[in-house]
Every structure is written in structure tokens, then in C-alpha cells.
Amino acid sequence: GDSVTQMEGPVTLSEEAFLTINCTYTATGYPSLFWYVQYPGEGLQLLLKATKADDKGSNKGFEATYRKETTSFHLEKGSVQVSDSAVYFCALGGASGGSYIPTFGRGTSLIVHP
Amino acid sequence: DADVTQTPRNRITKTGKRIMLECSQTKGHDRMYWYRQDPGLGLRLIYYSFDVKDINKGEISDGYSVSRQAQAKFSLSLESAIPNQTALYFCATSDFGSEAFFGQGTRLTVV
């Protein structure tokens, strides 16, 4: 079945540091890929998405590129802020059997220090 | 108003009790989901529904049941709660292949 693997956390950075959170996926077909963010005490909300190979999703300074050849969708940000501290989930709109059920990685906690 | 509303937000219940978590959405989507979040385990799918008459088990459905009362409403029940069902529960909705919209979550504690 479909699955998502993302790097374990927590990731601890100083403000203005460069961020990379790795994400790889396994899926049949051609799923859409997503990054969600969860702030403390809240539900998940969409951060960015890409719907086909080589698409780049971007939002709030975050970027991720859909790499079909390496089945990856790594999240990057050039300069993190304290307010970016949250849990980040990589996800795919699963394509197995055409069902497109959202499938999530285990989440990566990001802690940004001033 | 929120796109997806879950009630209650917090609940403490005793072992063996029946409890229902409710979810309603205003997105107009046919697809609804219940997930459970545990530290280090991410989100695991409990049940999902593609429309009012189509309900399916997810990867961890044992001990849970659901009811899809309408396109907008999808409730999750724990027939006889046990302590290892203590977790954060999320309801979500999506269109086919598109992003999921989540509720704020229900923090359930079984003592």
C-alpha cells in the first residue's frame, strides 16, 4: 500500500537557519503530495502541495518539489523563525486503487530558538 | 465558522464506557475521515467514508465504530473505551485527491 516516510525529529534550529525536512513516499499511480503543519493545540492545516512531477509547491517561505525519480518531496525554508516551531507532516493523496485516501508520515517536530 | 467542527474538544471517560465523538463539516465534500494521533506514530486512519452509504475500515478500526448521518456529519464511537484508546482524534474531509481539511481535534483520556 501507499506510505510516507519522513525524517524523525525533533529538529532544533536557531532563528534564521536553513531548514530541510526529508520526505519520501511509496505509491502506485501518480498521487498528489502535501505538507501540513500542526501548531500546538490545533489541527493540521495545509502548508503547500504539488500535484504532478516537477511541480514546486510554496507558501510562507517554505518550498517543496515533487521528484518522481527519487519519490521525494523534501520541505525547505531558507530562514526559519521562532513562529515556525510546529509539527510538520508529509502526506500523499494515495493513488492505490484510485481511492486517494490521505496518507501521512509520522510528523517531524521543529523547534526554533531565538 | 470553522470548516470542520469536532465535539467535544476534550473528554475524560472511564474504562468500559461508551463514548461518541462528533464531526460536522461545511465544505460540501463527500469524503470524511477519522484519524488518531499518538506521539511518534503520526496520524493513523480509523475509518473513512466516501459518501453517506459507503463506509470503510482503516488500519486501526478495532474497538471503534462510525456513523455517517448525512453528507456533513460523521461520528466516531468507542463502544467500550479502554486506556490505550487515550489519544488525540481528528476528523477530516476532502474532495477526491485534494487537500484534507481538519477539525481542531478531540483529546480523549480513558482512565
Side-chain angles (χ1 to χ4, degrees), chain B residues 2-4 24-32 50-51 68 70-73 93-96 101:
Chain B
D3 294 327
V4 182
S24 62
Q25 53 103 352
T26 59
K27 297 296 293 183
H29 293 155
D30 286 328
R31 296 173 168 230
M32 296 188 74
F50 286 166
D51 65 40
R68 185 82 184 266
Q71 185 201 40
K73 295 185 182 295
T93 185
S94 77
D95 205 351
F96 180 83
F101 295 85

Side-chain angles (χ1 to χ4, degrees), chain B residues 12-110:
Chain B
I12 301 174
T13 193
K14 293 184 177 180
T15 297
K17 292 290 187 181
R18 185 180 189 274
I19 181 170
M20 179 183 289
L21 310 183
E22 298 187 338
C23 176
S24 62
Q25 53 103 352
T26 59
K27 297 296 293 183
H29 293 155
D30 286 328
R31 296 173 168 230
M32 296 188 74
Y33 316 88
W34 275 103
Y35 291 91
R36 167 177 171 162
Q37 184 179 20
D38 298 278
L41 297 179
L43 273 71
R44 294 182 291 168
L45 183 65
I46 306 172
Y47 269 93
Y48 62 99
S49 171
F50 286 166
D51 65 40
V52 175
K53 296 182 179 180
D54 182 17
I55 294 177
N56 304 276
K57 293 181 178 181
E59 61 180 297
I60 56 162
S61 60
D62 287 349
Y64 302 94
S65 63
V66 291
S67 174
R68 185 82 184 266
Q69 299 94 329
Q71 185 201 40
K73 295 185 182 295
F74 192 38
S75 60
L76 175 72
S77 293
L78 286 67
E79 298 302 325
S80 179
I82 56 177
N84 77 359
Q85 291 177 313
T86 293
L88 187 54
Y89 290 85
F90 285 103
C91 175
T93 185
S94 77
D95 205 351
F96 180 83
S98 296
E99 68 182 274
F101 295 85
F102 283 81
Q104 295 273 66
T106 295
R107 185 167 297 281
L108 177 66
T109 303
V110 183

Side-chain angles (χ1 to χ4, degrees), chain A residues 32 34 36 38 41-46 49 87 89 93 98-107, chain B residues 9 31 33 35 37 40-43 45 48 50 88 90 94 96-100 102-105:
Chain A
S32 296
F34 308 88
Y36 291 83
Q38 183 183 28
E42 299 184 11
L44 282 71
Q45 56 186 276
L46 181 70
K49 66 179 180 182
V87 181
F89 290 89
S99 62
Y100 287 89
I101 299 169
T103 301
F104 294 84
R106 295 191 173 191
Chain B
R9 291 291 311 278
R31 296 173 168 230
Y33 316 88
Y35 291 91
Q37 184 179 20
L41 297 179
L43 273 71
L45 183 65
Y48 62 99
F50 286 166
L88 187 54
F90 285 103
S94 77
F96 180 83
S98 296
E99 68 182 274
F102 283 81
Q104 295 273 66

